[in-house]
Amino acid sequence: MVEQQIKAWLHLYRAPGLGYSGVRRLLDYFGDAGSVIRQKHFPEELGISKSQQSYFSQCHDNDLTEVLQWLEKEHNHVLPIDDDLYPPQLKATADPPVLIFVKGRIDALLMPQLAVVGSRRASRGGLDNARAFCYELAKKNWLITSGLAAGVDAAAHQAALDAGGETVAVMGTGINRIYPKQNQTLAKDIMHQGAVVTEFDFNAPPKASHFPQRNRIIAGLSLGTLVVESGQKSGTLITARLSYDINRPVMAIPGSIHNPMAKGCHWLIKQGAALVESVEDIVQELEPGMSMLSEQIRQRISTATTEELENSREQLDIELSDSQQQLLSHIGYDPVTFDDLVTATELTTSDVSSDLLILELNGLIEKQAGAKYLKR
């Protein structure tokens, strides 16, 4: 996205009290962010307040200097909601962020993600479960998304990194304010094997009201949410509820009836969350969302500019796993069906589905109608 468009979006993003619905109304009326910020007067039916009109009349590019300098550095990105590389699974939610700041690998946001959340004061058993599940899931090419908090969040991120996988940390602060401070090294590691993401302005401090907002992004980026351990009144349950609200599966790991940090998980299971005891249980719950995500990503990438697509493909080059290499060896220039690939490789349907998406994102294969695949 060209610099002038980024400037316009940053001004639009900073307009006080506008939010997604307000931005959507303005874009529907004027067409693009640049046209919006050039307006001197707004029709009354758009509901633009005097403070918002005053902001648009006074905003200046000099106000953006710090952010623009940050964007000049490698691996720093701003993704407005109309960008072709904005995560489609997040855009599909009812209240997506108008704009997100990303530090790290921008392509990580397009990968199949599982939200893993839990208590900041998790028990040793809870932390062990977070590490074990996330390590194995990362080995299966699932990207682990969490909130960079102490406890379960940090354990989940670290396990994904230890497995050589990818992870996304969604923050409740500005991109320039890592919180909590003890996770600064972890955040830097995540930037190399995934991405750190926030919707909050550049130097925004941690505020209690930010974290429920952050949680909707964690849920929105992911195909489902796994609650590892939670008290009955934990903020962790907010992420689970938000995942329910957007019709994505919620899973919970049961614990001892004597463990107060298991009560939130047990309550969720009573409300209909899937009880999971293994990684296979999780993958089975998420499988229906895989084809949806694949189609959304295909649509987004197909509308990207040539330059964006080339940059994206360069970034998507990763070392293929043994199962992905095996799968690729069975795909030629003549279409082959999904079922034939499962039979030929003797892999599980969930593993084949996941690996096909990875190969497709790398530009190595192409999906055709009827769930058929061929080499590009």
Side-chain angles (χ1 to χ4, degrees):
M1 182 170 287
V2 298
E3 183 175 332
Q4 205 56 44
Q5 289 175 294
I6 287 291
K7 290 178 180 178
W9 267 105
L10 287 166
H11 287 308
L12 191 57
Y13 157 81
R14 288 182 169 180
L18 202 53
Y20 171 72
S21 59
V23 168
R24 189 75 267 159
R25 286 197 307 273
L26 290 171
L27 291 179
D28 288 344
Y29 192 91
F30 294 109
D32 59 72
S35 297
V36 172
I37 65 167
R38 288 193 296 269
Q39 299 303 311
K40 303 300 182 185
H41 303 284
F42 294 86
E44 188 174 337
E45 64 266 25
L46 292 178
I48 302 302
S49 68
K50 290 183 178 179
S51 64
Q52 290 164 348
Q53 293 194 45
S54 175
Y55 169 84
F56 286 125
S57 67
Q58 296 176 25
C59 64
H60 196 279
D61 288 351
N62 289 343
D63 302 331
L64 307 175
T65 300
E66 188 176 18
V67 178
L68 296 175
Q69 288 176 345
W70 177 81
L71 280 170
E72 291 174 358
K73 298 178 182 178
E74 192 176 14
H75 305 307
N76 292 351
H77 313 274
V78 166
L79 283 183
I81 197 167
D82 71 341
D83 193 295
D84 290 315
L85 298 178
Y86 188 97
Q89 66 274 26
L90 181 58
K91 188 173 182 178
T93 61
D95 183 29
V98 169
L99 175 151
I100 54 177
F101 298 87
V102 182
K103 189 171 182 65
R105 298 183 55 231
I106 197 170
D107 58 289
L109 301 180
L110 297 175
M111 306 295 273
Q113 298 171 55
L114 170 68
V116 178
V117 296
S119 173
R120 288 177 169 84
R121 296 178 294 278
S123 68
R124 179 171 295 182
L127 294 175
D128 288 344
N129 281 336
R131 294 186 192 104
F133 275 79
C134 292
Y135 186 93
E136 190 174 345
L137 285 159
K139 284 290 187 183
K140 291 180 177 291
N141 299 312
W142 281 92
L143 189 149
I144 304 301
T145 297
S146 196
L148 198 65
V152 166
D153 288 17
H157 289 306
Q158 189 62 59
L161 295 173
D162 292 343
E166 294 177 287
T167 183
V168 166
V170 185
M171 301 197 302
T173 58
I175 199 72
N176 220 26
R177 295 280 295 270
I178 302 300
Y179 177 84
K181 289 185 177 180
Q182 64 261 34
N183 283 344
Q184 287 186 352
T185 299
L186 175 60
K188 290 178 181 178
D189 291 340
I190 291 171
M191 293 168 194
H192 293 294
Q193 280 179 238
V196 173
V197 180
T198 184
E199 70 171 322
F200 297 104
D201 212 347
F202 204 62
N203 289 305
K207 291 183 179 179
S209 61
H210 286 181
F211 294 96
Q213 290 179 256
R214 174 206 63 179
N215 291 349
R216 88 185 194 290
I217 300 178
I218 294 174
L221 282 170
S222 307
L223 297 182
T225 295
L226 171 66
V227 181
V228 175
E229 194 174 68
S230 168
Q232 197 155 6
K233 295 182 179 180
S234 170
T236 297
L237 300 183
I238 295 174
T239 309
R241 179 180 61 77
L242 292 167
S243 195
Y244 274 131
D245 288 347
I246 54 177
N247 297 314
R248 297 182 192 172
V250 174
M251 298 148 281
I253 300 175
S256 167
I257 60 172
H258 304 294
N259 178 8
M261 298 312 299
K263 290 188 179 297
C265 291
H266 294 169
W267 181 82
L268 285 171
I269 291 168
K270 290 177 183 177
Q271 301 304 309
L275 185 159
V276 297
E277 299 174 302
S278 68
V279 165
E280 287 67 31
D281 291 339
I282 295 170
V283 173
Q284 186 175 0
E285 284 292 317
L286 297 174
E287 193 171 358
M290 286 292 293
S291 58
M292 173 198 73
L293 178 60
S294 178
E295 179 61 28
Q296 287 176 326
I297 290 172
R298 187 181 303 105
Q299 290 175 357
R300 302 301 290 167
I301 291 179
S302 68
T303 58
T305 66
T306 302
E307 182 181 358
E308 287 171 330
L309 193 52
E310 287 174 353
N311 290 340
S312 177
R313 284 178 179 160
E314 286 175 10
Q315 292 170 327
L316 290 168
D317 286 336
I318 61 172
E319 184 177 347
L320 299 180
S321 68
D322 291 343
S323 62
Q324 290 159 6
Q325 292 179 28
Q326 179 188 2
L327 196 57
L328 190 59
S329 71
H330 289 283
I331 301 175
Y333 294 100
D334 293 319
V336 58
T337 68
F338 180 90
D339 290 341
D340 286 343
L341 289 171
V342 172
T343 301
T345 60
E346 298 185 348
L347 297 168
T348 66
T349 56
S350 58
D351 283 345
V352 170
S353 181
S354 175
D355 284 344
L356 284 172
L357 179 57
I358 302 299
L359 293 173
E360 187 178 351
L361 286 171
N362 274 277
L364 298 175
I365 64 172
E366 179 180 335
K367 184 178 181 181
Q368 295 191 323
K372 295 180 179 180
Y373 299 85
L374 52 82
K375 191 173 291 184
R376 298 189 71 169

